[in-house]
Structure formats: C-alpha cells, structure tokens
Amino acid sequence: LALVGTLLALCLVLLAWSTDNRAASPIVGTHIPENFHGALEIGANMRYLKDSDHQLTIHSILNHPLNWSLVTRSSPNFGFTQAAYWFQVVLHNEADLAQEVLLELPIPFLDQVDLYRVRQGEILQTYTLGDTLPYTQRPIEHPNFVMPLRLEAGDNELYLRIASSGTVEAPLTVWSSLEFLQNASNVHLVEGLWGGMVLIMAIYNLMLFFSIRDQGYLYYAAFAFSFLLFQLSLSGYGFAYLWPESLRWNSHAIPTMIAMANMMAALLTLSFLNLKQTSPTGHKLMTAMAVLGGFLMAISFFAPYSLTIRAGALMTVLMSLIIPAMSFSAWYRGDHHARYFGIGWSVTLLGICLLGLNKFGLIPVNFLTNNAGNIGIVFMMALLSLALADRFNREREMRLNAQMAALESEKQLRLSQEEVLATKEEANQQLELKVRERTQTLQKALLDLEQANQRLELLSTTDALTTLFNRAYFESRVEIEFRRAQRHHRDLSIILCDVDFFKQINDMYGHKIGDACLRNFAIALKNKVIRSGDLIARYGGEEFIIMLVDTPLQDAEYIASALCEEVRNMSLEAKGKPLQITASFGVASLKQSLAGSAEDLIHRADMAMYQSKNTGRDRVTLWHKVKEQSL
C-alpha cells in the first residue's frame, strides 16, 4: 500500500507538471468567431510586462513603446511576487458587427485587477476589481472576476493589470453569456456537493465527539471545518455568500484557515496515533507543529499577507511529509489503525502540497492543481472512515475478550455471590444515573433546538437593518388580511412610502449614513403605527409599506400625513451637519379602490406614491386622485 501510494503521488506530480511543458504559442491574438457560443481559453496567447515599482499606468503603456515578453507557460502564473504585472491580449472579432462576451479571471483572491479595453489608442471600457473592494461593486456578482465586454468588429486590445500580495495568475477565458451561466451552474453544483459532504462529515464527527468524548473526533471535525472555510475563501464563495462586506476578514481568511487546518491536523495526528505513549520524539515534533500553526493563525490578523501565506504554504508542505512518515512508522511498529490514516493523509496532503506548489508558481494552473486539495480530502475521508471502523472493531474485540475473562472470573468466584450481586446492583444504579443524565442532555438539546428554531423564524421574517418585518412576511400577512376584509366587508388600507433622494444621500454621505437614515425612518414609522393588528415592513431598498386593518381611506390619509410630518421633522446628522429627510406617500383602500387582489391594492398605493414623487415629493397622494394619464 505504501508503494502504491508513492507511485500515485509521483503520477499526480508528473501529470500536473506535464501540462506546463508545452511550448509557448507565438500567436498573440485570439479569434472570436461570428455568432460566438462557447468558451475560449486565452492561455498563452498574450504578452506580459513586469512592473516591479508599480509605476506604470495605462497611459504610459499606450504612449511609450515597451519591451513586452511572451508567456512561456500554458497559462500565466508568476507565483508569490510583490511586483505588478501587465498583460496585453488581442481579441479579434470575426463578425461584421459588435459582439457581447464575458471575460472571466477565475482567481478570486487577487488584490487589484484593472482591465482596459482599447481601440486605436482610445480607452473605451474600464473595470476596477479586486478582493479589497466590496463584493457588490463587481459588474457581475460571481465568486470569480467576470467582466462584460463589447467587442467591435476586428481587433480589440485588452490591457490587464494584476497586483496582489499573494500569487499573480491570469488564466483568462472568454465566454458567451449562455455558456457562462450553464458552466457557473455546474460549478456551483459541484462545489455545493463537495462542501455539503465535508460539512456533514464534520458535523457527524463532532456529534461522535459529544457522544464518546474522544478528542480525535473533535480535532477531525475542526480540521474539516477549517479546510472547508479555507476552500470557500480560496474559491471566492466565502466572500460572495458568507462575508461580502467584511473586507478585512477576507484579506486574512486564507492564511488564517491554512494555519488552523495545519494546527488541527497536528492535534489529530497526536491523538489518533497516541504519540505521547508510542513516540516521544514524534510527540514533541507534532506538538511544535501545532504550536506553530496556532502562532501563524494568531499573527495572520496583523502580519503582512505575503508573509503569512508563504509561511502557511511552507508549513503545509512540511506537514505533507511529516504526517505520512509518522503514520507509516506507527504502522510498522504494529499500530494497524495507522495504515488507513497514513495512506489517507498521504494523498490528502499531497493534494494540498500540489495546491501550495501551484500558488508558489512552481506548477501550472489546471483542474488537477486547483482541486487537488478537494480530491485529497474526499479520499482521506473515505480512508479515515475505514480507520475509525477498524479501530471500533478492534475495541469491540477487546471488549469481548474482556467479557470472556469476566465470565471466567465469575466461575471462579461463585462462592462470593453476595458480593457479585452487590456489585451488580451498584452497576444498575450507575446505569440508571447515566440514563437520567442522557435524558436530561436530550431534553436540553431539544430545548436548544426549539430556541434555535424560534431565532431562525425571527430572522426569516425580519429585516436585519431596520428590525421591521421583511417583504416575504408582509406579503403572506396581507393576503390573509385582504381575504378577511373581503369576507367580512371591512375596509383595508395600504400606505406605501419611499425616502426621497435616498440614492443621492448614499452617494454623497456613504452607506453608513444611508443605513442610519433607514433605521431612523423605521423608528418614525413604528412610533406612529402602534395598533396591534397593523403591520409595517421594509418592502425593498428605501421603500416601506404599512397595512392598516379596519381602516377607511380618511383615517389612512390622516396617518400618512402624520407620518410625512414626522419624517420631515426627523433629526439626522451627516458629516457634522443636519440632514433633512423627506418621504413620498401613496395611499389606497379596499373599499375605495375596489381592488380584486392584495397585489392590486399594493400596486394602486404604489402608483399613488409615484404620483407624490412626480408632483414634488414630501407629500401624500390618494389613489383615486391620481390623474388618468398616470394610471
């Protein structure tokens, strides 16, 4: 098995390396066929320029002749570097008309990505991206950097500048929109399946730890969690879905998770191989690696990224050598549990090692090197499950042997029956005590689950910023109240309101002031609408909606006017100056509008609100007063 594992490792390395030994193509241009549908990898069809001092600009590049170099690999990868790199790409549109395409840069952890589309020396299109910028500023919200391009007929020059404290890579792909969406859907599915499987295994082993209190399961679960978060950070899914606004954490997530994964791997090895009793030297070495992992994890929050990512990658390579060696050594000493452990970690850490070598720029970017860690983790999980099953079987065998020995002792101690009965009674009492303890634990777990469900239900119906109900909850409630009002021939009124010039407030003062504006606006609404049956919700963006049950149009108009006055008098400061806030209101009632559905009633209130905006804002408009040309 050790020989097979070694041969497999060599094959993987040779396969990864062989994909990089192709000669660089002298072709600089990439041809986009007419009616383009599919994907084209630009690969080595580009030139690059190293900017060590970060002094070059797009204008200096366009106005001065420079010594560009051809890419010598199948895809540009310059490893860890402090320099910025410029890439020149020529896309030749073979169609007579312009074509819309997408350019994808599938390296989501780059700090700065600037793209310029140039034609005849004129800059026609510019994108400024990077993981140091908010995720919502991307032209297409995707874990990778995806930039829409309009390619005119003939040659279109692209200049791409990449600067990062980590690795610099530029495996560019040109996509048609439909194929990109299909490919993105498939990739999301695969990543979701892999992530779900790792998460389930982590939770399962965590539950095993709580059940049998074996620290090995805890370390294994922590390792799986940390590697999952590392992969989410590396692939951009973490920034896209988990922490899109946390730029500082995003800049530290990768080295932090690498360090945590290495620390947990060391602790798991210490526990599983029982190195403290079987190998004092190995115990000291693994303890030192665990301490080193914890140290790297601690300094990753304030040390330079370029230092922590290199240190983490180097530690990963060392661990990929040390853990299999210790595992096979333990197997040689007679620890049969270690055989699956050693083989699993060999392949797993080989995959992580390939990923590290990829990031150092020593091997190229391809499917194998980008997903080596994922493949290794899946392989390790299967083998580690075998290791756990093997250990369970051996422990069961030991328990059976112990039971046989106990029966033999019982035969020899028949004359001491009273003592045996007393011991048995004590054992029964202990068993009952354990049953009661487990029952209490289960009851507590059920109570915690019920509380968690209640919190989840609250989160699912509440808007996090304003603490008002969200749109989904409002729409479910308004349908119920609408049918009840129709059934009992009662009135139902809707007030729809919108903060005036909110986009200008956001643009001028920033999202923080904008959020404060929305929160204060929500407080003003809650201070005025206090009946238990009424409902206030954030309907979307700066739009809010109010449902007034058993309320005729005149009362609803009075409430809306009071709210308009309340908002007008609301005090808010921005940059040390008072900020005047107003809002536009639209009111519609069931009996007055004869709406056929709740959606119709809301739509009429919406039309009335837009009439308020069109006639000067900071006012209340009733639906029946809306002019015929605005209906």
Side-chain angles (χ1 to χ4, degrees), residues 293-305:
F295 173 74
L296 290 178
M297 184 170 64
I299 68 170
S300 65
F301 291 97
F302 52 86
Y305 177 89

Side-chain angles (χ1 to χ4, degrees), residues 23 25 95 111 214 219 317 322 326 377 416 440 498 505 509 520 570 604:
S25 172
D111 293 345
D214 187 337
Y219 297 143
V317 173
I322 295 173
M326 287 189 174
I377 281 290
S416 304
Q440 293 174 357
D498 185 278
I505 294 174
Y509 300 106
N520 281 272
M570 187 170 63
R604 291 172 183 180

Side-chain angles (χ1 to χ4, degrees), residues 605-620:
D606 185 60
M607 289 194 295
M609 183 193 71
Y610 275 97
Q611 182 69 9
S612 294
K613 284 190 173 291
N614 295 333
T615 55
R617 296 181 169 83
D618 188 23
R619 63 192 62 210
V620 177

